[in-house]
Amino acid sequence: MGRRAASDSGGRRPTTIRDVAARAGVSVATVSRILSGTYPGAAATRGKVLRAVRELDYVANANARGLAGARSRSVAIIVNSVISPHYAHVAQGVQTQAAIEGKLCIVGTTGGDPERELATVQLMREEHAECVILVGNVIADDAYRERMANYARALAAAGSQLVLCGRPALGSDVPALVVEYDNTGGAYAITSHLLSLGHRRILFLGRRDSYTTPESRVAGYRAALADHRVPHDPGLEVEGRMERDEGYRMIRDRLAAGPRDFTAVFAGNDLIAAGARQALRAHELRVPEDVSLVGFDDLPPSADIDLTTVHVPHEELGRTAVRMALGRPRDSTAAVPGVMLGTHIVVRDSVRPLVREEPRVG
Amino acid sequence: MGRRAASDSGGRRPTTIRDVAARAGVSVATVSRILSGTYPGAAATRGKVLRAVRELDYVANANARGLAGARSRSVAIIVNSVISPHYAHVAQGVQTQAAIEGKLCIVGTTGGDPERELATVQLMREEHAECVILVGNVIADDAYRERMANYARALAAAGSQLVLCGRPALGSDVPALVVEYDNTGGAYAITSHLLSLGHRRILFLGRRDSYTTPESRVAGYRAALADHRVPHDPGLEVEGRMERDEGYRMIRDRLAAGPRDFTAVFAGNDLIAAGARQALRAHELRVPEDVSLVGFDDLPPSADIDLTTVHVPHEELGRTAVRMALGRPRDSTAAVPGVMLGTHIVVRDSVRPLVREEPRVG
C-alpha cells in the first residue's frame, strides 16, 4: 500500500498482489488464498508464492506493516455528514488523491457535535493517519480557534498533520495547512449576473450570522449590490440553515407573510435552491418565467433543475488537501501555506432578464 | 465516548465535558483548556476541574481509554464511494445510530478496488472497530464469498463483527450478519405500475449481469412482465453501470440507433433516471408527455424531477446494521440472522397512462 519512503528513494511503485501472482506464476485468487491460510492445494505452489512475497517485500507492505501498527497507511477526513453532497464531493477528492498516493481513506462523521469531533480527531491520531482533514462551515470564534490549534499541535506531535478545508486560516503559529475556495468572489459574480440582467430585489436565502460559509457568501452579495449602487435591504436576507427543507420553508414563510417583494432569489447553496424551487412551484411561480433563481455549489443535481449556480471545485479541494499534507516536509518551519481555489458561474436556464417593468417594490 | 459496559450495568450515560464543567462550576472552554494544557489561569480552578474529571471518570471515558488503545469506540462502514448518494444515505444511518449508541463512526472508501477493500478491513480491525459494515452491489461469485468469509472470520477473531448491507447472505457457517432490502419486490411493483397504465414496451436501463443489485432489479422487471403476460424482449434490457452519465449514454445511443421502440423507461436507479431524462430532453422528448420514466432509490433529488420511483430505506439499512451488530451477543452460536427491509413505490409525476394507440413497435 504505497510507502513514501519507497517512492521517495527511487520512485518504486508499491508492490501489489498482482505483482506477487505474476512473479509466482499463479492467479491472484491463489495468492489471496495462500496468504489467508485457506489454500487447499499443493505445497509447492504455496512455496512459490511465499518466495515471491518475500522477494517483493509484499508482506512488509500490506500485512506485517499492518500488524506492526498501521503507520501512515491512511489519510483521514472529518465531516459533519456524508449526505451533504458538498462534503461528499470533497471526500471523494480526498479518496481519489489518497488512492493515487497509495493510501487508504477514512472518513469520520461528527453530526456537527464538537465532542464527537474531538473524539474522532483523537481516533484518527491514534490510528496514525498521515493527515486529518477537517471540512466546512464553522463558527470561527475564539473557542473554535483554540480547539483547532490544539488539534493541530496534538497531530503534529504525533507526526500527523491537520488540514483545514473550506475553513479560515488559524494564524502562522499553528501548524495547520489551509485550503479554501473563493466564496465571496463567487457570490459577488452571481449577484452581479442578476443585477446586470436588471434584477434589483434579490432575496438571499440562508443567511446565518457568524458561520463562515454563509457569512462570506452574504458578503459577496452585499459587495455586488454596493458596486451596482443598489441600496442594501437587510429585509431581503432570510435566515436559515443550508439544507433543502430550509429552502422550502424560507420561501413558503416569505410568500405567506405578504405579497412577493422580490424578482430573483439567490439561494445560499444548491440544496436551498432545490427546496426554494419546490416552494415556488407550490405557489404556481415558475422558474425562470416568474422568478429567477440561482444557487451555489454546482453539484450534479443542479443540472436537472437547470440551475444557474456557482461552481465550487469540491473534488479539487479534497485532492489539494491531500497533496499539500503529503507533499510538505514535516520539519519545515516556513510560514504555513494556504491555498485559495477559484469559483466561477455556471449559466444554465434559471434566470431571465427583468423586462423594464421596474421592480415592483423598493 | 459511551461504554457499553457502563450502560449495561445500570444505564449510566457517558460523562461529557459539560458534566465536568457543571461539577467544577466553570465553562466548557475552561475545562477544555485545562485538559489540553493551555489554561493560563488560577491553579485553584485547575484543581477543581481535575477533581471533577477524576470524580466523574471523564478521563477514563475519553482520553485515557483513547491512549489505552481505543477499543470499541467506533463502528466502521466501508463503501465504494461517498458521492454515490445511495451509499451516503446508508452511511448517514450508520452515523445516526452510532451516535445514539455513543460510538464514533468511520467510513472507509475503496473506489471499488478489492485490494483497497482488504486493506481497509484490516485497518478497521486493527483500529478495533466494534463492527465493520460492507455495503452494496457486488459480483457474488466464489471469490467474493471466500473473501467475505475470510473478513468475517478475521473480524470475529478480533472481537469485531462483519455486517453485509444490501448484499446477499454467505451461509450459516460464516459469522456475518446480513441486512438486505427488497430489490426484486420494488422492481416488480414499479414495473406493474407501468404495465397497469398500459405500457408494454418498457426499456430497462442498467442491466449488469452477475452484479447482485441490478440482477435482482431485472428479475423483478421480468417477473412483472410474465405475470402481466407481456412477452419478454431481451432487446429492451440495456447494459450500463448505475451512474448518471450512463443513463445519458444509454438513451442517447438507443435513440441514435433507430426509431424509438419504447413508451416507458425503467431506470435501474435514480441517477440513471436523471441522466436518461436529460438525454430524452436533448431529443425533445418530454417526461411524462412523450415518455414515462421511473427510477429506483428515492433519493432527495428525485423530488426535483418529479420522478416516480421505488423508495429504499437507506438510513434504516444503516441503522439496522449497527443495531444488529451491537445488540448481538458475541458468543452466540445460533443461526446467523438476516433481515430483509421492504421497499415501496413513491408516485410523483413522471408517468402517464398510455392512451389506446397501441405501442408503436413489438
Side-chain angles (χ1 to χ4, degrees), chain B residues 208-229:
Chain B
R208 213 172 163 207
D209 289 350
S210 78
Y211 277 83
T212 53
T213 304
E215 255 197 349
S216 52
R217 293 181 189 174
V218 170
Y221 163 81
R222 291 181 191 162
L225 291 173
D227 285 358
H228 283 76
R229 297 179 206 294

Side-chain angles (χ1 to χ4, degrees), chain A residues 134-294:
Chain A
L134 282 171
V135 187
N137 194 18
V138 289
I139 303 184
D141 57 9
D142 286 350
Y144 162 78
R145 270 183 281 268
E146 189 174 317
R147 202 166 80 239
M148 291 305 120
N150 287 339
Y151 293 169
R153 293 188 188 109
L155 288 169
S160 185
Q161 170 78 63
L162 178 67
V163 187
L164 300 179
C165 189
R167 293 183 171 189
L170 294 175
S172 58
D173 57 324
V174 177
L177 301 171
V178 176
V179 49
E180 292 181 87
Y181 61 97
D182 192 357
N183 275 304
T184 303
Y188 182 94
I190 204 147
T191 307
S192 297
H193 179 65
L194 292 170
L195 290 165
S196 306
L197 293 171
H199 293 279
R200 292 293 173 269
R201 300 282 302 169
I202 303 169
L203 197 67
F204 183 92
L205 299 184
R207 174 174 153 178
R208 213 172 164 208
D209 289 348
S210 77
Y211 277 83
T212 52
T213 303
E215 255 197 350
S216 52
R217 293 181 189 174
V218 169
Y221 163 80
R222 291 181 191 162
L225 290 174
D227 285 357
H228 283 75
R229 298 178 205 292
V230 172
H232 172 233
D233 176 357
L236 286 173
E237 294 174 1
V238 185
E239 277 190 62
R241 282 171 297 109
M242 301 184 96
E243 285 160 27
R244 190 197 163 84
D245 359 344
E246 287 280 279
Y248 191 93
R249 179 191 62 75
M250 288 185 269
I251 287 291
R252 187 198 57 202
D253 293 356
R254 183 82 179 189
L255 294 177
R260 177 164 62 91
D261 61 347
F262 55 88
T263 63
V265 174
F266 176 5
N269 71 4
D270 287 358
L271 294 176
I272 293 179
R277 178 173 167 276
Q278 226 179 343
L280 289 167
R281 291 168 78 198
H283 282 80
E284 317 229 309
L285 291 168
R286 291 161 305 162
V287 174
E289 293 82 355
D290 302 314
V291 176
S292 289
L293 173 67
V294 301

